[in-house]
Amino acid sequence: APTAAAAPVIDLTIMLSQRARPNLIEHQRRAIDTSTVRPAALACFINPVGVQLNDRALNGLATIKAGFDMGPWMRWLYATETATKYVLILDDDCIPGINWIRLAYERLDLAEQRGEKIIVAAGGLVYQSDSYDDIYPVGPEAPRLDEVVVDVGRGGRMLPRELLWRILMYPRL
């Protein structure tokens, strides 16, 4: 695997989160460090819920720490402040594969060349009918070689930074 120093830097900020599973951030950082591309910026939103933080894994990382549980959407708000063209928001349990960041970035670039604005998710669910339980998963638990349009993205989401406000303005239950 290439080292972080050897991989090309892309116009991307990765926003990690440390919440209920602080042990996984080391795996995320290792996956990012061995990826075939490097992000221009890397930060972590710490949203504590009474668990011991993994300070060693946070060393050298730009962090934003909440004093109380602010829910999952605050990291999306902080991501609007980044300076890169694209943002990758990773859930605390999403570990990207060695080529996933590069492939997602290339797919976003292709969409932009076509005049499209899309979000690339690390995994997702596809509804087959209007029934809430008539779904099939796409992602690590059900790997595929082809691209699939999902109804619900999950795990990690890479998108143009300009789409963040559209997501944040969408009414939530």
Side-chain angles (χ1 to χ4, degrees):
T3 63
V9 176
I10 57 175
D11 197 6
L12 173 73
T13 296
I14 298 178
M15 179 67 73
L16 303 173
S17 67
Q18 191 167 52
R19 190 169 189 272
R21 297 170 280 238
N23 58 313
L24 295 180
I25 197 166
E26 287 183 75
H27 299 289
Q28 286 181 317
R29 292 205 59 189
R30 194 173 313 112
I32 292 164
D33 287 346
T34 59
S35 177
T36 55
V37 292
R38 283 187 303 155
L42 181 64
C44 182
F45 175 58
I46 302 168
N47 194 26
V49 289
V51 296
Q52 178 64 41
L53 298 178
N54 189 340
D55 294 327
R56 184 181 66 228
L58 295 172
N59 190 30
L61 187 62
T63 59
I64 305 159
K65 184 176 182 181
F68 58 91
D69 186 359
M70 299 184 81
W73 293 101
M74 189 55 74
R75 61 194 169 138
W76 292 75
L77 182 61
Y78 287 128
T80 66
E81 300 296 323
T82 62
T84 55
K85 183 176 184 177
Y86 299 119
V87 176
L88 170 58
I89 298 177
L90 287 177
D91 291 353
D92 64 356
D93 62 346
C94 183
I95 315 290
I98 191 167
N99 289 312
W100 189 86
I101 296 171
R102 178 183 56 80
L103 292 171
Y105 185 85
E106 289 172 358
R107 182 60 182 95
L108 284 175
D109 223 28
L110 177 63
E112 186 166 296
Q113 291 172 26
R114 295 176 176 171
E116 305 166 342
K117 297 291 181 191
I118 65 169
I119 298 172
V120 177
L125 300 171
V126 177
Y127 283 90
Q128 299 179 97
S129 72
D130 289 338
S131 176
Y132 76 94
D133 62 349
D134 189 15
I135 57 173
Y136 66 89
V138 176
E141 71 279 9
R144 299 173 63 124
L145 295 176
D146 58 331
E147 184 176 299
V148 177
V149 175
V150 298
D151 296 302
V152 178
R154 58 191 175 89
R157 295 146 195 96
M158 189 184 295
L159 62 153
R161 183 173 43 91
E162 66 190 69
L163 290 183
L164 287 167
W165 279 111
R166 289 190 195 177
I167 293 167
L168 288 166
M169 299 306 290
Y170 195 80
R172 293 183 288 280
L173 298 175

